[in-house]
């Protein structure tokens, strides 16, 4: 089976997946939680309610009482109200306004994060992604230093990082779409998910690259495209089996886990599926594309 022959289609498919998310990312951006913006978040449940209460019902009650940023329904009759930083006394006043109409209000959690801490979290998240990408490139370049022909070892690292950036952009794009249509917010767990996805993506990519390295040592006389294609086929079952088991576990967690980790698991699910695809159908074909480009350039120089 010649998988490499369709490399341009793989890249086109990846572009079609990423572009809608990028559009919404630039159009509306992500919806940051108080982890990044700072503020107070009060979660409460209305007990013994005779009907299903909407977020708008709560918004109408408190909108003229406190400076409310958002009111979010997390489960039936359970709400999260985000405001500017408020004290415990102000939070008690907030709940008392709701109790006028719904007497049985049970507070579940309350937290306040300063704007300075939120800015630091955002900066640290960006640093983590950048430093991880640089470290991965350097490590792979070092690990593949003995197979620098016909493709330089550092190009393996760059190809791996491009594949993981594909996964990061896809996850971020999906959450930009979810934020626009469903007001889904990103928090510090989202950054944890991104870094986990990066690690998973590189892990899968290195498996394929390592097989390329072994096959180059066995018979370097074969065309590079054929060596890469054979390596992809040899590792395909292993990569798919590993990913399917991870996806099944995450899917069970999504079904039976708590609401607090719901979007964290969604980010992991999208990232794991994307990471499996990009490791096989983006990273290795990128090496071949780079090899063909270098080959054409050398021919022109000779002419």
């Amino acid at each position: 089976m010649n998988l490499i022959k369709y490399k341009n289609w793989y890249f086109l498919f990846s572009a079609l997946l990423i572009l809608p998310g990028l559009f919404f990312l630039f159009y509306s951006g992500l919806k940051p939680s108080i982890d990044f913006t700072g503020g107070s978040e009060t979660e409460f449940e209305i007990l013994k309610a005779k009907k299903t209460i909407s977020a708008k019902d709560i918004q109408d009650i408190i909108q003229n009482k406190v400076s409310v940023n958002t009111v979010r329904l997390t489960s039936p009759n359970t709400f999260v109200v985000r405001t500017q930083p408020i004290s415990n006394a102000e939070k008690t006043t907030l709940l008392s306004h709701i109790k006028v109409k719904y007497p049985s209000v049970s507070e579940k959690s309350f937290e306040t994060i300063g704007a300075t801490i939120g800015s630091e979290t955002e900066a640290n998240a960006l640093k983590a992604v950048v430093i991880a990408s640089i470290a991965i490139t350097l490590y792979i370049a070092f690990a593949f230093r003995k197979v620098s022909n016909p493709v330089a070892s550092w190009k393996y690292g760059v190809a791996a990082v491009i594949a993981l950036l594909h996964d990061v952009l896809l996850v971020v794009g999906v959450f930009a779409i979810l934020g626009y249509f469903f007001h889904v917010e990103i928090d510090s767990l989202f950054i944890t998910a991104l870094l986990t996805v990066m690690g998973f993506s590189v892990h899968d990519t290195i498996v394929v690259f390592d097989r390329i390295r072994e096959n180059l040592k066995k018979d370097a006389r074969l065309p590079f495209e054929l060596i890469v294609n054979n390596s992809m086929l040899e590792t395909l079952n292993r990569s798919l089996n590993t990913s399917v088991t991870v996806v099944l576990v995450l899917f069970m967690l999504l079904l039976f886990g708590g609401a607090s980790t719901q979007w964290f698991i969604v980010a992991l699910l999208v990232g794991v599926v994307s990471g499996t695809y990009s490791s096989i159908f983006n990273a290795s074909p990128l090496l071949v594309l780079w090899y063909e480009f270098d080959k054409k350039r050398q021919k022109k120089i000779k002419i």
Side-chain angles (χ1 to χ4, degrees):
M1 187 186 299
N2 191 350
L3 294 177
I4 282 294
K5 182 171 70 172
Y6 304 104
K7 60 182 180 296
N8 291 330
W9 288 104
Y10 306 147
F11 300 145
L12 178 62
F13 180 67
S14 292
L16 291 175
L17 286 176
I18 291 171
L19 285 175
L22 285 179
F23 170 78
F24 281 97
L25 183 63
F26 288 108
Y27 178 70
S28 59
L30 296 166
K31 303 290 183 189
S33 70
I34 64 168
D35 288 359
F36 298 106
T37 60
S40 294
E41 204 168 73
T42 307
E43 183 179 11
F44 60 89
E45 182 181 5
I46 297 176
L47 307 171
K48 301 177 183 178
K50 294 180 181 179
K51 63 173 185 176
T52 302
I53 304 163
S54 69
K56 188 178 182 305
D57 294 330
I58 302 299
Q59 180 88 38
D60 291 341
I61 294 170
I62 61 176
Q63 63 182 352
N64 296 323
K65 311 294 191 303
V66 292
S67 177
V68 178
N69 292 343
T70 58
V71 177
R72 185 162 43 94
L73 179 70
T74 56
S75 60
N77 295 339
T78 301
F79 302 88
V80 172
V81 176
R82 190 204 289 179
T83 63
Q84 297 300 314
I86 59 176
S87 64
N88 274 304
E90 290 170 314
K91 177 260 299 180
T92 303
T93 303
L94 168 68
L95 293 178
S96 67
H97 290 306
I98 298 167
K99 286 179 180 179
V100 171
K101 186 171 183 179
Y102 305 107
S104 300
V105 175
S106 172
E107 181 186 338
K108 301 187 77 173
S109 66
F110 173 70
E111 63 175 332
T112 297
I113 295 176
T116 303
I117 295 174
S119 299
E120 287 178 1
T121 303
E122 186 176 357
N124 289 337
L126 183 60
K127 286 178 188 175
V129 173
V130 172
I131 291 171
S133 300
I134 294 171
I136 287 165
T137 304
L138 294 175
Y139 171 74
I140 295 177
F142 176 77
F144 286 80
R145 66 193 183 281
K146 293 183 180 178
V147 284
S148 57
N149 188 42
V151 175
S153 60
W154 62 269
K155 291 179 181 178
Y156 287 86
V158 173
V161 169
I162 290 172
L164 74 84
L165 288 177
H166 162 280
D167 306 329
V168 168
L169 287 174
L170 183 60
V171 174
V172 169
V174 166
F175 272 76
I177 294 171
L178 290 172
Y180 182 78
F181 289 105
F182 303 104
H183 308 290
V184 174
E185 298 177 344
I186 62 164
D187 54 15
S188 54
L189 275 179
F190 178 74
I191 304 304
T192 305
L194 281 186
L195 293 172
T196 305
V197 166
M198 289 171 67
F200 185 89
S201 175
V202 171
H203 170 269
D204 251 12
T205 302
I206 286 180
V207 169
V208 184
F209 282 2
D210 197 52
R211 187 55 60 91
I212 293 172
R213 176 171 61 179
E214 290 176 4
N215 289 337
L216 278 170
K217 289 178 180 177
K218 284 180 185 177
D219 197 349
R221 293 171 296 176
L222 289 174
F224 184 65
E225 309 94 288
L226 181 59
I227 290 174
V228 172
N229 188 74
N230 291 342
S231 301
M232 290 167 65
L233 290 171
E234 289 168 10
T235 55
L236 186 62
N237 283 339
R238 182 260 178 210
S239 296
L240 290 177
N241 289 336
T242 302
S243 299
V244 167
T245 55
V246 175
V247 166
L248 287 174
V249 171
L250 290 173
F251 190 66
M252 291 302 106
L253 285 171
L254 184 62
L255 287 178
F256 303 109
S260 59
T261 58
Q262 176 186 13
W263 297 113
F264 170 69
I265 294 166
V266 169
L268 287 177
L269 266 172
V270 174
V272 167
V273 173
S274 173
T276 303
Y277 176 82
S278 67
S279 298
I280 301 169
F281 299 106
N282 285 156
S284 300
L286 270 173
L287 288 177
V288 174
L289 196 68
W290 211 329
Y291 166 73
E292 291 174 347
F293 175 78
D294 288 343
K295 206 171 172 183
K296 288 177 183 177
R297 190 178 60 179
Q298 287 171 2
K299 282 183 180 178
K300 286 182 180 178
I301 291 171
K302 287 179 181 178
I303 293 171

